[in-house]
Each structure stands twice: as structure tokens, then as C-alpha cells.
Amino acid sequence: MPYCRCGNEFPEARARLGCDCCLECGTAEAAAETARRAHMIAPISHKSGYTYLGPDRAAQRQRLLEGSAKTPPMETDPRPLGRAARPRQMKSKRYEFAGWEFKPDKRGVRQKRAILREIPAD
């Protein structure tokens, strides 16, 4: 009978299947591998479900860039340069209360709404 790394004997039939350890050690190894691979699964698109990305960062990045059958590859174009790349500063508009209005909504129920007037910028 073959021996496991922990020193226990395990069945000959298990060795013929290709296992080199006892059932307890095999369960512990499988749990460790499952925990390790849990960090390598991600949803690629909203309909494809979870996809195994691979063991290393380079393979994971490559699979994310490739996309899946339903999603196109991820765009990795260089960032735009110049004035077009700078975010525009938007001035916030200011409003003042001008009064109330009463209008029916879609069901015909009368609704009270505020009327706001924009304050011109200085």
C-alpha cells in the first residue's frame, strides 16, 4: 500500500487514479486551492457569468482585455493630450424663489410646485 506525505497509508485504487496523498490531505489541499482561486474569478460582462482569469496577474489582465464572446475587447488607447483632455470648469447656476404654481399631474391631481428664477452671474 502506498504512503502519503503525512505518513498514513492510502488505498491502492486511489494511487491508480493519480492521487499521491490520503483523503484528509487531499481535502486540505483542495480547500487551499479553492480559496486561492476564489480571488481569480470575476464577472466579465453582465450576461456571461463568472470567468476564471488565471493564476498570475499578466494572464488575468490579458483575459480582461480580450473580453468574452459577447463583449468586445477592452479599449486601451492612449489618453488624449492637449486642451481637449482637460476637464472644463462648469459654473453652477444659482436660482431664487419666484412663487408657487398649481398644475394637475398626469392623473389630474392638482400639484403645488415652486417656480425658480435663475440669478444672472456677475
Side-chain angles (χ1 to χ4, degrees):
M1 249 189 177
Y3 286 92
C4 178
R5 288 169 280 190
C6 65
N8 295 335
E9 289 185 14
F10 63 94
E12 188 75 36
R14 187 167 168 78
R16 275 184 268 138
L17 289 174
C19 298
D20 61 344
C21 57
C22 64
L23 194 58
E24 291 82 26
C25 292
T27 304
E29 276 184 33
E33 182 67 14
T34 302
R36 188 180 72 82
R37 287 186 179 201
H39 299 289
M40 301 176 197
I41 296 174
I44 299 296
S45 70
H46 68 86
K47 288 189 176 181
S48 69
Y50 287 90
T51 304
Y52 177 66
L53 297 178
D56 60 338
R57 290 272 179 214
Q60 291 176 8
R61 186 172 191 283
Q62 185 62 36
R63 284 198 180 88
L64 284 172
L65 290 175
E66 286 170 2
S68 67
K70 294 181 181 177
T71 57
M74 207 181 270
E75 296 291 328
T76 56
D77 293 336
R79 296 185 61 140
L81 301 173
R83 282 182 77 175
R86 282 189 233 131
R88 291 192 181 128
Q89 295 266 334
M90 298 292 290
K91 289 188 177 183
S92 59
K93 295 181 180 179
R94 297 182 60 202
Y95 298 93
E96 66 180 357
F97 178 74
W100 296 102
E101 75 173 346
F102 296 92
K103 278 185 138 179
D105 63 1
K106 290 180 181 178
R107 290 188 225 129
V109 179
R110 199 171 126 175
Q111 298 288 324
K112 180 179 180 181
R113 292 195 272 177
I115 300 172
L116 301 175
R117 185 178 6 193
E118 188 176 337
I119 300 173
D122 295 325

